[in-house]
Amino acid sequence: MTEFTQDHDYSFMRLALEEAKKAKERDEVPVGAVVVHAKTGEVVMRASNRSIELKDPTAHAEILAIRQTCQLLGQQRIPEYNLYVTLEPCAMCSGAISFARLHRVVFGAYDVKGGAVFHGPEFFEQPTCHHHPEIIGGILEEECGALLRNFFALKRKMKKDRKKSTYTD
């Protein structure tokens, strides 16, 4: 497999950020993912969170990107592909990553609250984990994190403003 440089990682993470911004425009949690062939660098799939739109709690960017890649290729496992995602994967997404046998996972922002790679259950360190991909965290961490922080700050402000208007009406 081709060695990806940090420049490649930044380029692919920028594509994942584009997907995250699309999720934000749909009022979804702004997380984006991109699946890239590990040897050629070809981007084969892009996805962003669609849990609200699809009324599906499993419609995380990672799950959608993995599912669509597997369907596109007609195979259950995709060990010759890398996943770029703007936020540290949760336990559910980490399980899907393991079952899909992805070669490498590169993520942007660390997620102390819901992440499962370096936080919480540290999924890939568990003896029951089927596959441990290469993992790199913190690529474009500030940009990825800022998008999420700003999204949730706006949500909190809107909620607070709604409460204020309820009391003044």
Side-chain angles (χ1 to χ4, degrees):
M1 301 254 169
T2 298
E3 289 297 318
F4 280 75
T5 67
Q6 196 171 42
D7 287 342
H8 290 109
D9 290 342
Y10 281 94
S11 294
F12 294 130
M13 189 60 70
R14 283 187 189 90
L15 295 177
L17 265 168
E18 288 176 16
E19 293 302 312
K21 289 173 185 174
K22 291 177 186 176
K24 181 182 177 189
E25 290 170 9
R26 294 190 310 273
D27 205 30
E28 298 269 5
V29 175
V31 177
V34 176
V35 178
V36 178
H37 192 278
K39 199 172 195 178
T40 66
E42 176 190 5
V43 176
V44 296
M45 196 56 59
R46 296 173 180 225
S48 56
N49 278 3
R50 291 184 178 275
S51 295
I52 296 168
E53 176 186 342
L54 298 176
K55 295 165 183 50
D56 178 358
T58 69
H60 290 194
E62 302 95 307
I63 298 285
L64 295 174
I66 291 167
R67 183 179 294 142
Q68 293 167 1
T69 300
C70 289
Q71 289 172 350
L72 175 73
L73 300 172
Q75 55 194 55
Q76 173 188 359
R77 296 193 173 117
I78 49 175
E80 57 281 340
Y81 290 86
N82 297 336
L83 176 71
Y84 289 81
V85 61
T86 56
L87 183 65
E88 177 180 353
C90 69
M92 174 183 68
C93 293
S94 294
I97 288 164
S98 177
F99 282 115
R101 306 292 197 265
L102 282 157
H103 175 67
R104 187 167 177 255
V105 176
V106 180
F107 68 86
Y110 289 85
D111 186 357
V112 177
K113 189 174 181 181
V117 177
F118 292 112
H119 297 94
E122 296 181 356
F123 186 89
F124 298 110
E125 301 306 317
Q126 299 307 312
T128 54
C129 179
H130 299 280
H131 170 73
H132 188 297
E134 177 185 347
I135 304 206
I136 296 171
I139 299 295
L140 296 180
E141 179 178 9
E142 183 52 40
E143 293 93 325
C144 294
L147 184 63
L148 286 154
R149 284 189 302 277
N150 293 340
F151 175 81
F152 286 113
L154 181 60
K155 287 287 187 190
R156 286 189 296 276
K157 183 183 181 318
M158 289 171 59
K159 184 177 181 180
K160 185 177 178 181
D161 290 349
R162 278 194 307 274
K163 282 185 181 180
K164 279 184 185 178
S165 71
T166 301
Y167 294 123
T168 59
D169 289 344

